[in-house]
Amino acid sequence: MNAGHRPLLATLGVLLSCLLLTGCPDSGVVCGEGLSRCGDTCVDLTSASANCGACGVACGEGQLCSEGACTCQAGTTACGGACVDTQSSPQHCGGCAGAGGTVCGAGQVCEQGACKVSCSAEGFQRCGDSCVNLDTDASHCGTCGNSCGDARSCRGGVCTYDVVATCFNSGQVVGIQSGTDFKGPSVQVASSPQSAARLSDVLLVLDASNKLVQTRLGDYGVLPSRNDTGRAPNQFIVRDPLIYILNSTDNTIQVLRREEAAVPGAPPGARFPDGITFSDVGNVPFGANTNPFGMALLREELWITLYGNLMGDPTVGGRVLRVSLANPLRPRVVDTIDLPTGAALKPFPNNTTLPTPAGITAHRGMLYVALNNLNPATYSPGGPGFLARINPANNAVSLIELGADCLNPGSVASVGEQLLVSCSGKANYDANYNLLSVEHTGMVLLDAQDQVVATAPVACAPGAIGCAIPAAGRFAVVGQRAYVGDTNGGRIFVHEVVGNTLVERRGLKDTSQPPIAACPASGFSLVSDVVALP
C-alpha cells in the first residue's frame, strides 16, 4: 500500500465516523476538527479576523489574523498603531506621517504615494480621499469600501484567495494568499472535498459524497445550489458555461451546463448570490475498471488518463484517451494511446509494474503524464518514476525518467518553460498499517529540454521529534512558486523555482519557515488538492 491510496482509507474512516455519530445525542453546534464554537458558529481562531485567537477578538482595519494574532495585511504598513496603505492613505501618503510620509491637504487625494488635486492615473478611481484601482485594491474591491478581509486578495474586482486547498478528512477548504503565504480561515463546506475550481464569484467543490457543492468565493459560505455527480468524482475542468467532471468509480466523464446568467447589475462579488444552476447534459462511459484519473485540455481536446483498477482488473488502465470537444456537449473518444509497459518501465528486482498514469498537463504543445509505475500486487512503486511525453501530432510516446529521488510521481504542471513534478514516494507500514516512513518523496524540476535539473525532497529535519511524516501530493503553481499538498500531515509546502534550482520557502528541512498548516491533523490528514484560482 502506498501514500497514493490514502484516500481509500480516509473514505472508510469517514463512513465509520458517520455510523458512529448517528447514535450521538444532539448537543447543538458541533464543530469540525480545528474549528471552535463561537456562539452558534464554528470558526478558525487561527485565521479568522473577526475571532482572532479567541471568540469576539476582532482585528482592526487593514489587519488580518495569522496564527491567532492580528497583523498587517499585505501591502499595508503599521503607522501609529493602524495598518494603512501608504500608496493611497491621505493621512500617511507615501509613508507614515512624521517618518517621511505626508498628510494631504484639504481637498487633496493620495494617489500612488503622492498628494494630488484629483485622481489621474489610468484605472484609478476616487474613494473618499484615496485613489485606488477597484480591480486590485483589497480595501475597495469592486466598489468603494468593499474590504476583502482575512487573507483574501482582490482580482478583477472580486475578493478571492490565490490558492485553495481541500481537506479530505475534515471536510474543509482553506484559502492562501500567495507570496506572503498568509492563510485564511478553514471553513467547513462538505464531507470529503476532493477538488475545487472557480466560476465567476462561486467556488465549486467536488465532494466524495458524489455532490458538486457551491460556496461563495468571498467567504466560502455554502450556497443552496448543488448537483449530483457520479461515484468518486476526482477532477473537473471549468469551460464556462460547461463543466467536465471525471467520475473514477463510474468510469465516466460527466458534462454540466450553466443554465442561468449572472444577476443583472449585481456587484462583482455577488453575481450569483444563491449559487449557479447547472443541468446534467451528458455522460460518456469509458468502460468498466478504466478508473479515469486526470485530464488536461489542449486546444479543443481533453486528454484523460486511465489509471486502471488495481483491486479489480488493472489491464484496461495504463492508457490515455484523446477526447474531442468539437461538439462540447457530446465529448467523443477519438484515440486511445497505450503507454509503455514491461522492461521499458525498468522494474526493480522481483517486481512487475504497470504504468498507472495519474496527473497530466499540456506543456509547450505536448502532453506530459505522471506514471506511478506501481506493482499491482503490492500497490507500491515497482520501478522508478517516469513521465510519458505524448506528441499530439502523431500520438507518439516517449519516456522521461525522473531520477532516483522520485518514486510514485502523481502531479505535473508547467512553471514557465519548465516542468515541475511531485512524487508521493514509497510508504512503509508496520503490521497494523501505522506509517513508518516515506521514501523518495518530493519535487522534481525539468528544464525546457525535459532534462531533470533539480530535486527537492519533502522530509522532516534529521532528528526531528514529533514531526508527522510528509508525502508530496497535488500542487498548484502561482508565478514561480509551487504550493504542494501533504497527503499525510495536512500541510502545504512551498517551493520556488529559481533558475534551474528549487528553493524550499516553507518546509521542514531546509528553511526556518514551517509549512502552512492547512488541514487540521489528528493523525493522518490528507490535503486532497491544491488549486490556483484564476
Side-chain angles (χ1 to χ4, degrees), residues 225-275:
S225 298
R226 61 179 57 203
N227 287 78
D228 292 331
T229 68
R231 291 177 298 164
N234 185 51
Q235 186 188 352
F236 64 133
I237 287 178
V238 175
R239 294 189 81 200
D240 193 28
L242 300 177
I243 298 175
Y244 298 95
I245 302 173
L246 285 186
N247 297 306
S248 293
T249 298
D250 278 351
N251 308 299
T252 63
I253 186 168
Q254 179 180 4
V255 186
L256 300 183
R257 179 174 62 196
R258 176 173 59 83
E259 297 296 349
E260 62 182 352
V263 174
R271 294 188 176 111
F272 295 94
D274 297 318

mmCIF file of all heavy atoms in Angstrom, residues 225-275:
data_model
loop_
_atom_site.group_PDB
_atom_site.id
_atom_site.type_symbol
_atom_site.label_atom_id
_atom_site.label_comp_id
_atom_site.label_asym_id
_atom_site.label_seq_id
_atom_site.Cartn_x
_atom_site.Cartn_y
_atom_site.Cartn_z
ATOM 1 N N SER A 225 -27.397 25.810 -4.017
ATOM 2 C CA SER A 225 -27.308 25.078 -5.281
ATOM 3 C C SER A 225 -26.268 23.970 -5.202
ATOM 4 O O SER A 225 -25.151 24.187 -4.726
ATOM 5 C CB SER A 225 -26.949 26.031 -6.424
ATOM 6 O OG SER A 225 -27.943 27.006 -6.598
ATOM 7 N N ARG A 226 -26.631 22.767 -5.652
ATOM 8 C CA ARG A 226 -25.679 21.667 -5.754
ATOM 9 C C ARG A 226 -26.205 20.651 -6.760
ATOM 10 O O ARG A 226 -27.393 20.588 -7.039
ATOM 11 C CB ARG A 226 -25.400 21.024 -4.397
ATOM 12 C CG ARG A 226 -26.578 20.414 -3.685
ATOM 13 C CD ARG A 226 -26.119 19.797 -2.358
ATOM 14 N NE ARG A 226 -25.474 20.759 -1.517
ATOM 15 C CZ ARG A 226 -24.607 20.464 -0.537
ATOM 16 N NH1 ARG A 226 -24.272 19.204 -0.320
ATOM 17 N NH2 ARG A 226 -24.057 21.389 0.192
ATOM 18 N N ASN A 227 -25.298 19.877 -7.298
ATOM 19 C CA ASN A 227 -25.644 18.866 -8.303
ATOM 20 C C ASN A 227 -25.097 17.510 -7.899
ATOM 21 O O ASN A 227 -24.074 17.413 -7.205
ATOM 22 C CB ASN A 227 -25.066 19.234 -9.677
ATOM 23 C CG ASN A 227 -25.789 20.382 -10.324
ATOM 24 O OD1 ASN A 227 -25.575 21.539 -9.974
ATOM 25 N ND2 ASN A 227 -26.650 20.085 -11.286
ATOM 26 N N ASP A 228 -25.770 16.449 -8.367
ATOM 27 C CA ASP A 228 -25.245 15.102 -8.185
ATOM 28 C C ASP A 228 -24.135 14.856 -9.204
ATOM 29 O O ASP A 228 -24.200 15.319 -10.353
ATOM 30 C CB ASP A 228 -26.344 14.067 -8.389
ATOM 31 C CG ASP A 228 -27.399 14.109 -7.299
ATOM 32 O OD1 ASP A 228 -27.058 14.482 -6.166
ATOM 33 O OD2 ASP A 228 -28.565 13.782 -7.598
ATOM 34 N N THR A 229 -23.126 14.123 -8.779
ATOM 35 C CA THR A 229 -22.093 13.662 -9.697
ATOM 36 C C THR A 229 -22.159 12.139 -9.739
ATOM 37 O O THR A 229 -22.963 11.513 -9.056
ATOM 38 C CB THR A 229 -20.692 14.091 -9.231
ATOM 39 O OG1 THR A 229 -20.361 13.383 -8.025
ATOM 40 C CG2 THR A 229 -20.642 15.591 -8.959
ATOM 41 N N GLY A 230 -21.295 11.539 -10.553
ATOM 42 C CA GLY A 230 -21.134 10.101 -10.484
ATOM 43 C C GLY A 230 -20.341 9.720 -9.249
ATOM 44 O O GLY A 230 -19.964 10.573 -8.436
ATOM 45 N N ARG A 231 -20.061 8.443 -9.106
ATOM 46 C CA ARG A 231 -19.325 7.975 -7.943
ATOM 47 C C ARG A 231 -17.832 8.311 -8.060
ATOM 48 O O ARG A 231 -17.249 8.231 -9.115
ATOM 49 C CB ARG A 231 -19.511 6.467 -7.780
ATOM 50 C CG ARG A 231 -20.926 6.047 -7.382
ATOM 51 C CD ARG A 231 -21.034 4.535 -7.320
ATOM 52 N NE ARG A 231 -20.782 3.926 -8.624
ATOM 53 C CZ ARG A 231 -20.515 2.643 -8.802
ATOM 54 N NH1 ARG A 231 -20.427 1.834 -7.751
ATOM 55 N NH2 ARG A 231 -20.326 2.166 -10.021
ATOM 56 N N ALA A 232 -17.278 8.730 -6.917
ATOM 57 C CA ALA A 232 -15.856 9.076 -6.815
ATOM 58 C C ALA A 232 -15.456 10.154 -7.813
ATOM 59 O O ALA A 232 -14.567 9.946 -8.640
ATOM 60 C CB ALA A 232 -14.978 7.837 -6.983
ATOM 61 N N PRO A 233 -16.096 11.330 -7.756
ATOM 62 C CA PRO A 233 -15.640 12.431 -8.616
ATOM 63 C C PRO A 233 -14.211 12.821 -8.232
ATOM 64 O O PRO A 233 -13.910 13.023 -7.051
ATOM 65 C CB PRO A 233 -16.643 13.551 -8.312
ATOM 66 C CG PRO A 233 -17.139 13.250 -6.929
ATOM 67 C CD PRO A 233 -17.160 11.751 -6.826
ATOM 68 N N ASN A 234 -13.341 12.910 -9.205
ATOM 69 C CA ASN A 234 -11.924 13.052 -8.907
ATOM 70 C C ASN A 234 -11.336 14.390 -9.360
ATOM 71 O O ASN A 234 -10.546 14.996 -8.668
ATOM 72 C CB ASN A 234 -11.147 11.904 -9.556
ATOM 73 C CG ASN A 234 -9.679 11.919 -9.197
ATOM 74 O OD1 ASN A 234 -9.326 11.995 -8.027
ATOM 75 N ND2 ASN A 234 -8.814 11.862 -10.194
ATOM 76 N N GLN A 235 -11.701 14.841 -10.541
ATOM 77 C CA GLN A 235 -11.157 16.084 -11.082
ATOM 78 C C GLN A 235 -12.193 16.695 -12.007
ATOM 79 O O GLN A 235 -13.033 15.992 -12.583
ATOM 80 C CB GLN A 235 -9.859 15.832 -11.858
ATOM 81 C CG GLN A 235 -9.176 17.122 -12.325
ATOM 82 C CD GLN A 235 -8.009 16.867 -13.261
ATOM 83 O OE1 GLN A 235 -7.597 15.729 -13.471
ATOM 84 N NE2 GLN A 235 -7.484 17.913 -13.857
ATOM 85 N N PHE A 236 -12.134 18.031 -12.169
ATOM 86 C CA PHE A 236 -13.014 18.668 -13.126
ATOM 87 C C PHE A 236 -12.357 19.881 -13.750
ATOM 88 O O PHE A 236 -11.431 20.463 -13.189
ATOM 89 C CB PHE A 236 -14.374 18.996 -12.509
ATOM 90 C CG PHE A 236 -14.387 20.000 -11.376
ATOM 91 C CD1 PHE A 236 -15.308 21.028 -11.368
ATOM 92 C CD2 PHE A 236 -13.533 19.893 -10.288
ATOM 93 C CE1 PHE A 236 -15.364 21.940 -10.312
ATOM 94 C CE2 PHE A 236 -13.581 20.778 -9.233
ATOM 95 C CZ PHE A 236 -14.509 21.812 -9.246
ATOM 96 N N ILE A 237 -12.852 20.209 -14.939
ATOM 97 C CA ILE A 237 -12.373 21.373 -15.685
ATOM 98 C C ILE A 237 -13.569 22.260 -15.987
ATOM 99 O O ILE A 237 -14.614 21.779 -16.431
ATOM 100 C CB ILE A 237 -11.664 20.936 -16.982
ATOM 101 C CG1 ILE A 237 -10.297 20.327 -16.664
ATOM 102 C CG2 ILE A 237 -11.513 22.107 -17.945
ATOM 103 C CD1 ILE A 237 -9.541 19.820 -17.873
ATOM 104 N N VAL A 238 -13.410 23.549 -15.734
ATOM 105 C CA VAL A 238 -14.467 24.518 -15.997
ATOM 106 C C VAL A 238 -14.172 25.232 -17.312
ATOM 107 O O VAL A 238 -13.096 25.819 -17.483
ATOM 108 C CB VAL A 238 -14.575 25.549 -14.851
ATOM 109 C CG1 VAL A 238 -15.596 26.617 -15.188
ATOM 110 C CG2 VAL A 238 -14.940 24.846 -13.549
ATOM 111 N N ARG A 239 -15.122 25.133 -18.251
ATOM 112 C CA ARG A 239 -15.084 25.910 -19.502
ATOM 113 C C ARG A 239 -16.462 26.550 -19.644
ATOM 114 O O ARG A 239 -17.335 26.035 -20.327
ATOM 115 C CB ARG A 239 -14.777 25.033 -20.715
ATOM 116 C CG ARG A 239 -13.410 24.415 -20.740
ATOM 117 C CD ARG A 239 -13.165 23.767 -22.100
ATOM 118 N NE ARG A 239 -12.773 24.734 -23.102
ATOM 119 C CZ ARG A 239 -12.858 24.547 -24.419
ATOM 120 N NH1 ARG A 239 -13.391 23.422 -24.890
ATOM 121 N NH2 ARG A 239 -12.453 25.456 -25.261
ATOM 122 N N ASP A 240 -16.651 27.640 -18.919
ATOM 123 C CA ASP A 240 -17.955 28.285 -18.838
ATOM 124 C C ASP A 240 -18.586 28.420 -20.232
ATOM 125 O O ASP A 240 -17.931 28.883 -21.157
ATOM 126 C CB ASP A 240 -17.787 29.680 -18.208
ATOM 127 C CG ASP A 240 -19.105 30.298 -17.807
ATOM 128 O OD1 ASP A 240 -20.043 29.549 -17.499
ATOM 129 O OD2 ASP A 240 -19.177 31.538 -17.792
ATOM 130 N N PRO A 241 -19.844 27.967 -20.403
ATOM 131 C CA PRO A 241 -20.818 27.555 -19.387
ATOM 132 C C PRO A 241 -20.820 26.057 -19.069
ATOM 133 O O PRO A 241 -21.773 25.574 -18.492
ATOM 134 C CB PRO A 241 -22.142 27.942 -20.038
ATOM 135 C CG PRO A 241 -21.901 27.683 -21.499
ATOM 136 C CD PRO A 241 -20.463 28.072 -21.747
ATOM 137 N N LEU A 242 -19.745 25.331 -19.433
ATOM 138 C CA LEU A 242 -19.732 23.881 -19.224
ATOM 139 C C LEU A 242 -18.713 23.482 -18.161
ATOM 140 O O LEU A 242 -17.704 24.181 -17.946
ATOM 141 C CB LEU A 242 -19.403 23.154 -20.527
ATOM 142 C CG LEU A 242 -20.371 23.381 -21.692
ATOM 143 C CD1 LEU A 242 -19.875 22.653 -22.933
ATOM 144 C CD2 LEU A 242 -21.781 22.939 -21.330
ATOM 145 N N ILE A 243 -18.996 22.356 -17.502
ATOM 146 C CA ILE A 243 -18.070 21.734 -16.565
ATOM 147 C C ILE A 243 -17.924 20.272 -16.959
ATOM 148 O O ILE A 243 -18.927 19.594 -17.236
ATOM 149 C CB ILE A 243 -18.585 21.821 -15.118
ATOM 150 C CG1 ILE A 243 -18.730 23.276 -14.678
ATOM 151 C CG2 ILE A 243 -17.650 21.095 -14.159
ATOM 152 C CD1 ILE A 243 -19.339 23.420 -13.294
ATOM 153 N N TYR A 244 -16.679 19.798 -16.993
ATOM 154 C CA TYR A 244 -16.399 18.397 -17.303
ATOM 155 C C TYR A 244 -15.858 17.727 -16.040
ATOM 156 O O TYR A 244 -14.833 18.155 -15.498
ATOM 157 C CB TYR A 244 -15.389 18.285 -18.439
ATOM 158 C CG TYR A 244 -15.887 18.885 -19.730
ATOM 159 C CD1 TYR A 244 -15.562 20.197 -20.079
ATOM 160 C CD2 TYR A 244 -16.700 18.159 -20.589
ATOM 161 C CE1 TYR A 244 -16.025 20.762 -21.259
ATOM 162 C CE2 TYR A 244 -17.174 18.712 -21.772
ATOM 163 C CZ TYR A 244 -16.834 20.017 -22.098
ATOM 164 O OH TYR A 244 -17.301 20.577 -23.264
ATOM 165 N N ILE A 245 -16.550 16.683 -15.567
ATOM 166 C CA ILE A 245 -16.219 16.007 -14.312
ATOM 167 C C ILE A 245 -15.818 14.563 -14.596
ATOM 168 O O ILE A 245 -16.555 13.830 -15.262
ATOM 169 C CB ILE A 245 -17.414 16.010 -13.336
ATOM 170 C CG1 ILE A 245 -17.860 17.447 -13.029
ATOM 171 C CG2 ILE A 245 -17.068 15.275 -12.048
ATOM 172 C CD1 ILE A 245 -19.133 17.522 -12.197
ATOM 173 N N LEU A 246 -14.658 14.167 -14.080
ATOM 174 C CA LEU A 246 -14.255 12.764 -14.140
ATOM 175 C C LEU A 246 -14.797 12.036 -12.917
ATOM 176 O O LEU A 246 -14.550 12.450 -11.777
ATOM 177 C CB LEU A 246 -12.727 12.636 -14.162
ATOM 178 C CG LEU A 246 -11.991 12.966 -15.444
ATOM 179 C CD1 LEU A 246 -10.513 12.634 -15.288
ATOM 180 C CD2 LEU A 246 -12.572 12.241 -16.644
ATOM 181 N N ASN A 247 -15.543 10.964 -13.150
ATOM 182 C CA ASN A 247 -16.064 10.117 -12.082
ATOM 183 C C ASN A 247 -15.323 8.785 -12.130
ATOM 184 O O ASN A 247 -15.571 7.953 -13.007
ATOM 185 C CB ASN A 247 -17.566 9.915 -12.250
ATOM 186 C CG ASN A 247 -18.338 11.218 -12.138
ATOM 187 O OD1 ASN A 247 -18.192 11.939 -11.159
ATOM 188 N ND2 ASN A 247 -19.150 11.532 -13.136
ATOM 189 N N SER A 248 -14.411 8.601 -11.178
ATOM 190 C CA SER A 248 -13.471 7.483 -11.287
ATOM 191 C C SER A 248 -14.131 6.121 -11.102
ATOM 192 O O SER A 248 -13.819 5.171 -11.829
ATOM 193 C CB SER A 248 -12.343 7.659 -10.270
ATOM 194 O OG SER A 248 -11.552 8.782 -10.604
ATOM 195 N N THR A 249 -15.016 5.980 -10.135
ATOM 196 C CA THR A 249 -15.642 4.680 -9.908
ATOM 197 C C THR A 249 -16.686 4.369 -10.966
ATOM 198 O O THR A 249 -16.858 3.212 -11.377
ATOM 199 C CB THR A 249 -16.267 4.626 -8.504
ATOM 200 O OG1 THR A 249 -15.229 4.798 -7.537
ATOM 201 C CG2 THR A 249 -16.965 3.301 -8.249
ATOM 202 N N ASP A 250 -17.403 5.376 -11.443
ATOM 203 C CA ASP A 250 -18.388 5.173 -12.510
ATOM 204 C C ASP A 250 -17.744 5.100 -13.890
ATOM 205 O O ASP A 250 -18.424 4.822 -14.877
ATOM 206 C CB ASP A 250 -19.431 6.291 -12.493
ATOM 207 C CG ASP A 250 -20.527 6.044 -11.475
ATOM 208 O OD1 ASP A 250 -20.563 4.936 -10.915
ATOM 209 O OD2 ASP A 250 -21.333 6.951 -11.227
ATOM 210 N N ASN A 251 -16.433 5.437 -13.973
ATOM 211 C CA ASN A 251 -15.691 5.324 -15.237
ATOM 212 C C ASN A 251 -16.306 6.186 -16.336
ATOM 213 O O ASN A 251 -16.479 5.749 -17.477
ATOM 214 C CB ASN A 251 -15.643 3.855 -15.696
ATOM 215 C CG ASN A 251 -15.136 2.927 -14.614
ATOM 216 O OD1 ASN A 251 -14.010 3.054 -14.156
ATOM 217 N ND2 ASN A 251 -15.982 1.993 -14.197
ATOM 218 N N THR A 252 -16.624 7.432 -15.995
ATOM 219 C CA THR A 252 -17.301 8.320 -16.949
ATOM 220 C C THR A 252 -16.715 9.717 -16.900
ATOM 221 O O THR A 252 -16.034 10.110 -15.949
ATOM 222 C CB THR A 252 -18.808 8.434 -16.632
ATOM 223 O OG1 THR A 252 -18.970 9.039 -15.331
ATOM 224 C CG2 THR A 252 -19.494 7.085 -16.649
ATOM 225 N N ILE A 253 -17.047 10.483 -17.952
ATOM 226 C CA ILE A 253 -16.907 11.930 -17.898
ATOM 227 C C ILE A 253 -18.316 12.508 -18.011
ATOM 228 O O ILE A 253 -19.103 12.110 -18.862
ATOM 229 C CB ILE A 253 -15.982 12.479 -18.997
ATOM 230 C CG1 ILE A 253 -15.766 13.983 -18.801
ATOM 231 C CG2 ILE A 253 -16.481 12.185 -20.397
ATOM 232 C CD1 ILE A 253 -14.657 14.563 -19.657
ATOM 233 N N GLN A 254 -18.622 13.406 -17.097
ATOM 234 C CA GLN A 254 -19.948 13.990 -16.963
ATOM 235 C C GLN A 254 -19.892 15.451 -17.398
ATOM 236 O O GLN A 254 -18.921 16.159 -17.103
ATOM 237 C CB GLN A 254 -20.388 13.877 -15.501
ATOM 238 C CG GLN A 254 -21.739 14.442 -15.159
ATOM 239 C CD GLN A 254 -22.037 14.262 -13.664
ATOM 240 O OE1 GLN A 254 -21.190 13.774 -12.909
ATOM 241 N NE2 GLN A 254 -23.219 14.663 -13.235
ATOM 242 N N VAL A 255 -20.923 15.904 -18.093
ATOM 243 C CA VAL A 255 -20.967 17.283 -18.583
ATOM 244 C C VAL A 255 -22.125 18.017 -17.911
ATOM 245 O O VAL A 255 -23.281 17.580 -17.985
ATOM 246 C CB VAL A 255 -21.149 17.337 -20.117
ATOM 247 C CG1 VAL A 255 -21.043 18.778 -20.599
ATOM 248 C CG2 VAL A 255 -20.121 16.455 -20.815
ATOM 249 N N LEU A 256 -21.820 19.126 -17.252
ATOM 250 C CA LEU A 256 -22.839 20.003 -16.678
ATOM 251 C C LEU A 256 -22.826 21.325 -17.432
ATOM 252 O O LEU A 256 -21.758 21.802 -17.838
ATOM 253 C CB LEU A 256 -22.576 20.262 -15.191
ATOM 254 C CG LEU A 256 -22.552 19.061 -14.244
ATOM 255 C CD1 LEU A 256 -22.344 19.536 -12.812
ATOM 256 C CD2 LEU A 256 -23.826 18.249 -14.356
ATOM 257 N N ARG A 257 -24.006 21.918 -17.590
ATOM 258 C CA ARG A 257 -24.117 23.203 -18.299
ATOM 259 C C ARG A 257 -24.769 24.231 -17.376
ATOM 260 O O ARG A 257 -25.797 23.971 -16.756
ATOM 261 C CB ARG A 257 -24.952 23.046 -19.561
ATOM 262 C CG ARG A 257 -25.123 24.362 -20.350
ATOM 263 C CD ARG A 257 -25.837 24.113 -21.658
ATOM 264 N NE ARG A 257 -27.179 23.581 -21.436
ATOM 265 C CZ ARG A 257 -27.906 22.993 -22.380
ATOM 266 N NH1 ARG A 257 -27.404 22.837 -23.593
ATOM 267 N NH2 ARG A 257 -29.107 22.530 -22.107
ATOM 268 N N ARG A 258 -24.143 25.407 -17.299
ATOM 269 C CA ARG A 258 -24.726 26.514 -16.534
ATOM 270 C C ARG A 258 -25.958 27.021 -17.264
ATOM 271 O O ARG A 258 -25.895 27.338 -18.456
ATOM 272 C CB ARG A 258 -23.712 27.642 -16.371
ATOM 273 C CG ARG A 258 -24.270 28.882 -15.678
ATOM 274 C CD ARG A 258 -23.180 29.900 -15.384
ATOM 275 N NE ARG A 258 -22.487 30.349 -16.583
ATOM 276 C CZ ARG A 258 -22.934 31.300 -17.384
ATOM 277 N NH1 ARG A 258 -24.097 31.894 -17.164
ATOM 278 N NH2 ARG A 258 -22.227 31.674 -18.450
ATOM 279 N N GLU A 259 -27.084 27.114 -16.545
ATOM 280 C CA GLU A 259 -28.349 27.461 -17.177
ATOM 281 C C GLU A 259 -28.803 28.889 -16.911
ATOM 282 O O GLU A 259 -29.780 29.337 -17.492
ATOM 283 C CB GLU A 259 -29.453 26.497 -16.707
ATOM 284 C CG GLU A 259 -29.214 25.052 -17.104
ATOM 285 C CD GLU A 259 -29.228 24.847 -18.606
ATOM 286 O OE1 GLU A 259 -29.621 25.767 -19.343
ATOM 287 O OE2 GLU A 259 -28.821 23.759 -19.057
ATOM 288 N N GLU A 260 -28.137 29.600 -16.032
ATOM 289 C CA GLU A 260 -28.597 30.944 -15.703
ATOM 290 C C GLU A 260 -27.471 31.943 -15.862
ATOM 291 O O GLU A 260 -26.290 31.616 -15.742
ATOM 292 C CB GLU A 260 -29.136 30.999 -14.274
ATOM 293 C CG GLU A 260 -28.101 30.665 -13.212
ATOM 294 C CD GLU A 260 -28.687 30.690 -11.812
ATOM 295 O OE1 GLU A 260 -29.843 31.120 -11.658
ATOM 296 O OE2 GLU A 260 -27.994 30.281 -10.875
ATOM 297 N N ALA A 261 -27.865 33.185 -16.121
ATOM 298 C CA ALA A 261 -26.908 34.276 -16.243
ATOM 299 C C ALA A 261 -26.710 34.928 -14.876
ATOM 300 O O ALA A 261 -27.491 34.717 -13.942
ATOM 301 C CB ALA A 261 -27.404 35.304 -17.255
ATOM 302 N N ALA A 262 -25.662 35.705 -14.761
ATOM 303 C CA ALA A 262 -25.436 36.447 -13.533
ATOM 304 C C ALA A 262 -26.582 37.431 -13.303
ATOM 305 O O ALA A 262 -27.264 37.862 -14.234
ATOM 306 C CB ALA A 262 -24.104 37.191 -13.617
ATOM 307 N N VAL A 263 -26.804 37.785 -12.042
ATOM 308 C CA VAL A 263 -27.862 38.739 -11.699
ATOM 309 C C VAL A 263 -27.535 40.083 -12.345
ATOM 310 O O VAL A 263 -26.444 40.624 -12.133
ATOM 311 C CB VAL A 263 -27.979 38.884 -10.174
ATOM 312 C CG1 VAL A 263 -28.972 39.992 -9.815
ATOM 313 C CG2 VAL A 263 -28.387 37.560 -9.560
ATOM 314 N N PRO A 264 -28.441 40.635 -13.159
ATOM 315 C CA PRO A 264 -28.159 41.909 -13.841
ATOM 316 C C PRO A 264 -27.847 43.019 -12.846
ATOM 317 O O PRO A 264 -28.555 43.192 -11.850
ATOM 318 C CB PRO A 264 -29.467 42.193 -14.601
ATOM 319 C CG PRO A 264 -30.137 40.865 -14.726
ATOM 320 C CD PRO A 264 -29.767 40.102 -13.491
ATOM 321 N N GLY A 265 -26.751 43.731 -13.097
ATOM 322 C CA GLY A 265 -26.384 44.864 -12.256
ATOM 323 C C GLY A 265 -25.781 44.502 -10.921
ATOM 324 O O GLY A 265 -25.488 45.375 -10.108
ATOM 325 N N ALA A 266 -25.574 43.212 -10.663
ATOM 326 C CA ALA A 266 -25.011 42.798 -9.375
ATOM 327 C C ALA A 266 -23.544 43.204 -9.290
ATOM 328 O O ALA A 266 -22.833 43.223 -10.302
ATOM 329 C CB ALA A 266 -25.138 41.288 -9.211
ATOM 330 N N PRO A 267 -23.061 43.531 -8.097
ATOM 331 C CA PRO A 267 -21.633 43.845 -7.948
ATOM 332 C C PRO A 267 -20.793 42.621 -8.246
ATOM 333 O O PRO A 267 -21.286 41.482 -8.200
ATOM 334 C CB PRO A 267 -21.525 44.271 -6.476
ATOM 335 C CG PRO A 267 -22.706 43.654 -5.807
ATOM 336 C CD PRO A 267 -23.794 43.638 -6.841
ATOM 337 N N PRO A 268 -19.498 42.818 -8.530
ATOM 338 C CA PRO A 268 -18.649 41.684 -8.944
ATOM 339 C C PRO A 268 -18.639 40.527 -7.958
ATOM 340 O O PRO A 268 -18.537 39.378 -8.356
ATOM 341 C CB PRO A 268 -17.257 42.329 -9.065
ATOM 342 C CG PRO A 268 -17.527 43.774 -9.321
ATOM 343 C CD PRO A 268 -18.771 44.098 -8.570
ATOM 344 N N GLY A 269 -18.747 40.817 -6.658
ATOM 345 C CA GLY A 269 -18.676 39.753 -5.669
ATOM 346 C C GLY A 269 -19.996 39.065 -5.401
ATOM 347 O O GLY A 269 -20.088 38.218 -4.523
ATOM 348 N N ALA A 270 -21.041 39.408 -6.129
ATOM 349 C CA ALA A 270 -22.355 38.798 -5.868
ATOM 350 C C ALA A 270 -23.107 38.548 -7.161
ATOM 351 O O ALA A 270 -24.295 38.776 -7.262
ATOM 352 C CB ALA A 270 -23.169 39.697 -4.947
ATOM 353 N N ARG A 271 -22.398 38.060 -8.161
ATOM 354 C CA ARG A 271 -23.047 37.831 -9.455
ATOM 355 C C ARG A 271 -24.043 36.675 -9.385
ATOM 356 O O ARG A 271 -25.046 36.660 -10.074
ATOM 357 C CB ARG A 271 -21.979 37.541 -10.515
ATOM 358 C CG ARG A 271 -21.053 38.735 -10.800
ATOM 359 C CD ARG A 271 -20.137 38.446 -11.988
ATOM 360 N NE ARG A 271 -19.320 39.598 -12.327
ATOM 361 C CZ ARG A 271 -17.997 39.652 -12.147
ATOM 362 N NH1 ARG A 271 -17.378 38.614 -11.620
ATOM 363 N NH2 ARG A 271 -17.311 40.722 -12.493
ATOM 364 N N PHE A 272 -23.723 35.681 -8.542
ATOM 365 C CA PHE A 272 -24.613 34.534 -8.353
ATOM 366 C C PHE A 272 -24.850 34.382 -6.850
ATOM 367 O O PHE A 272 -24.284 33.485 -6.217
ATOM 368 C CB PHE A 272 -23.998 33.259 -8.938
ATOM 369 C CG PHE A 272 -23.816 33.288 -10.426
ATOM 370 C CD1 PHE A 272 -22.615 33.688 -10.987
ATOM 371 C CD2 PHE A 272 -24.854 32.927 -11.279
ATOM 372 C CE1 PHE A 272 -22.433 33.714 -12.364
ATOM 373 C CE2 PHE A 272 -24.689 32.948 -12.653
ATOM 374 C CZ PHE A 272 -23.479 33.349 -13.202
ATOM 375 N N PRO A 273 -25.674 35.233 -6.247
ATOM 376 C CA PRO A 273 -25.800 35.248 -4.778
ATOM 377 C C PRO A 273 -26.337 33.951 -4.183
ATOM 378 O O PRO A 273 -26.061 33.656 -3.024
ATOM 379 C CB PRO A 273 -26.758 36.420 -4.517
ATOM 380 C CG PRO A 273 -27.487 36.626 -5.809
ATOM 381 C CD PRO A 273 -26.513 36.259 -6.883
ATOM 382 N N ASP A 274 -27.098 33.168 -4.938
ATOM 383 C CA ASP A 274 -27.656 31.913 -4.420
ATOM 384 C C ASP A 274 -27.014 30.677 -5.056
ATOM 385 O O ASP A 274 -27.509 29.558 -4.890
ATOM 386 C CB ASP A 274 -29.170 31.872 -4.659
ATOM 387 C CG ASP A 274 -29.895 32.972 -3.912
ATOM 388 O OD1 ASP A 274 -29.537 33.219 -2.747
ATOM 389 O OD2 ASP A 274 -30.796 33.602 -4.496
ATOM 390 N N GLY A 275 -25.931 30.888 -5.791
ATOM 391 C CA GLY A 275 -25.301 29.767 -6.477
ATOM 392 C C GLY A 275 -25.718 29.705 -7.935
ATOM 393 O O GLY A 275 -26.485 30.536 -8.425
#
